[in-house]
Amino acid sequence: MKAPLAALALAAWLAGPAPAFAQADTYARLSATVSQIYDGNLFATPAPRGPQDDWITRTGPSLEVGYLSLPLDIVARYGMQAERYVNHPALNANAAHQDASVAIRYLPMPRLDVSVDAGYIATQTPSELNLESQLGVGRAPAERIALTSLATYDWNPVTKLSGEYTFGRDSVVGGVASSTQRSRIGLQRRTGLRNAYRVDYQFRDSGFSDGSSSRSYVLTAGWLHAITSRTALEIAAGPRVNAGSIRPEASAVLRRQLSRGELSAAYSSTEMTTIGEQGTINVDRIALSGSYRPARRLGVAATPSWSRSTRGRNHVPVYTLDVESTFATTRHMTLMVWARIGRQDGTLSGSPEMIPYRTLGLKLTIAQPRRTTGDAGSETA
């Protein structure tokens, strides 16, 4: 918990001179959600062994508060949800999911932008933390602590310097705990209205509960190109050195803005830790994404993706399709429906058995209107 506490301490320190800030506003917003979820494979069990399914009800409140001024923004959020299972009542918990975060942005001078984001997540569904690898993990209490600090400085109208530090710690009961630190410095320079180039150097250090560790050094060069006013391409690639071996680090994103949505295609190849696994793994991922808003209050999105996690000679491909639809029924009420289907072919331990994914969810969110109070005591919806 040291990282989130450090972020909270920094927030208090930055907020100290708040009375001298002009145009300061504060706000608070309370919301509540009720979700009904069908999970076709609660424990990430291979198909031949008979996956167990269940219906899960998840409900709980969340509170968001903010302080907004010209040089400083602070937003804090906390949410807690209870879960009830139809077929597995032993998994019932009143605090099954907790999500806390603090986001700070400080502009001490026109050219300097500093931000700090700290977060804490506790969940009984560790798989929801494996966003990149998408590897399945059975139901078990898990935690994630994350801290990201970023500073950017506009050296001149065409040159930008940046520095970043991130810390993360993942743990799962009965499994592996890992911690990762990453430091990055970067330089970006625009050479025209459509082109920009950047160079980044990263140092990554990962440690695990068995005492093992991993260090890597990454140097990448990138190109940002505006093909048209609505289409942009970003590519970055370079070597990654770890324990004397050299592997490629690469990413590419192509985005197209539509009149009522967006299309994108992304590829990445990197090294990371993933919850439930000992040691770092190499992850290659391809994802296509499309979103469309046929009406002002209705939005739909779909993301088919493929990822491959590699450790040694073991390769685990994962295929998924995520579909989501959001409907704002009123100013205060939003209905969301989502689904995921897919499969994982084997595990990094060497098992070749296929693990199927089948999830369907319906979530209703009711939120108070956001009310902002200025220095003069005025209040607006």
Side-chain angles (χ1 to χ4, degrees), residues 75 125 148 161 197 223 255 257 266 295 347 371-373 376:
V75 177
T125 314
T148 300
L161 303 176
Y197 298 88
W223 175 45
R255 294 187 178 91
Q257 291 287 340
T347 65
R371 308 188 72 86
T372 303
T373 305

Side-chain angles (χ1 to χ4, degrees), residues 30-348:
L30 181 66
S31 62
T33 63
V34 179
S35 303
Q36 188 66 51
I37 305 168
Y38 171 77
D39 192 331
N41 194 349
L42 277 180
F43 304 104
T45 307
R49 304 180 193 175
Q52 301 181 49
D53 62 351
D54 209 337
W55 288 92
I56 308 152
T57 301
R58 178 184 284 185
T59 181
S62 66
L63 174 66
E64 179 179 300
V65 295
Y67 173 90
L68 311 175
S69 69
L70 288 178
L72 175 67
D73 290 345
I74 303 176
V75 177
R77 181 185 180 279
Y78 175 75
M80 180 176 66
Q81 294 182 323
E83 287 183 349
R84 294 294 182 267
Y85 293 74
V86 174
N87 301 324
H88 299 78
L91 296 175
N92 292 348
N94 293 330
H97 187 95
Q98 298 183 70
D99 188 346
S101 63
V102 177
I104 304 168
R105 188 182 182 191
Y106 185 45
L107 305 174
M109 59 183 67
R111 294 185 178 184
L112 180 61
D113 189 338
V114 180
S115 63
V116 178
D117 296 282
Y120 169 77
I121 297 176
T123 180
Q124 291 195 122
T125 314
S127 296
E128 67 185 16
L129 304 179
N130 286 345
L131 299 178
E132 294 297 324
S133 69
Q134 299 182 304
L135 292 176
V137 184
R139 283 296 198 282
E143 292 184 341
R144 167 166 290 175
I145 298 171
L147 172 69
T148 300
S149 57
L150 173 66
T152 60
Y153 179 71
D154 294 329
W155 184 264
N156 56 46
V158 298
T159 305
K160 178 182 292 187
L161 303 176
S162 62
E164 182 180 12
Y165 171 79
T166 64
F167 168 84
R169 186 180 188 278
D170 291 340
S171 61
V172 59
V173 172
V176 179
S178 64
S179 60
T180 302
Q181 300 182 69
R182 180 173 69 91
S183 302
R184 179 187 65 83
I185 56 174
L187 170 67
Q188 179 175 310
R189 183 173 179 83
R190 289 204 320 268
T191 58
L193 296 177
R194 292 191 173 187
N195 292 288
Y197 298 88
R198 64 178 301 158
V199 176
D200 292 276
Y201 172 76
Q202 297 183 38
F203 168 71
R204 303 171 183 170
D205 185 14
S206 301
F208 303 91
S209 52
D210 67 348
S212 62
S213 62
S214 173
R215 290 186 176 183
S216 60
Y217 308 85
V218 184
L219 180 64
T220 58
W223 175 45
L224 296 80
H225 177 60
I227 301 173
T228 68
S229 60
R230 292 190 172 190
T231 307
L233 174 66
E234 182 174 348
I235 300 174
R240 181 178 69 246
V241 181
N242 186 334
S245 65
I246 300 178
R247 297 184 64 109
E249 179 90 5
S251 64
V253 180
L254 176 65
R255 294 187 178 91
R256 170 69 176 176
Q257 291 287 340
L258 307 176
S259 59
R260 293 190 176 185
E262 182 182 79
L263 296 175
S264 67
Y267 167 77
S268 63
S269 179
T270 188
E271 178 188 65
M272 66 176 63
T273 61
T274 187
I275 200 161
E277 294 291 340
Q278 186 80 46
T280 58
I281 63 174
N282 294 294
V283 177
D284 298 284
R285 187 168 187 262
I286 298 174
L288 305 177
S289 182
S291 62
Y292 180 64
R293 186 170 292 277
R296 184 171 63 90
R297 294 186 175 183
L298 177 63
V300 294
T303 304
S305 64
W306 167 87
S307 65
R308 182 182 65 184
S309 299
T310 304
R311 185 174 60 202
R313 296 183 177 181
N314 295 328
H315 305 272
V316 178
V318 180
Y319 309 85
T320 61
L321 171 61
D322 292 290
V323 181
E324 178 182 295
S325 179
T326 303
F327 178 53
T329 57
T330 68
R331 286 182 56 202
H332 316 306
M333 188 178 301
T334 303
L335 182 65
M336 177 187 293
V337 181
W338 79 93
R340 163 174 283 195
I341 59 173
R343 74 174 196 263
Q344 174 179 320
D345 292 345
T347 65
L348 288 173

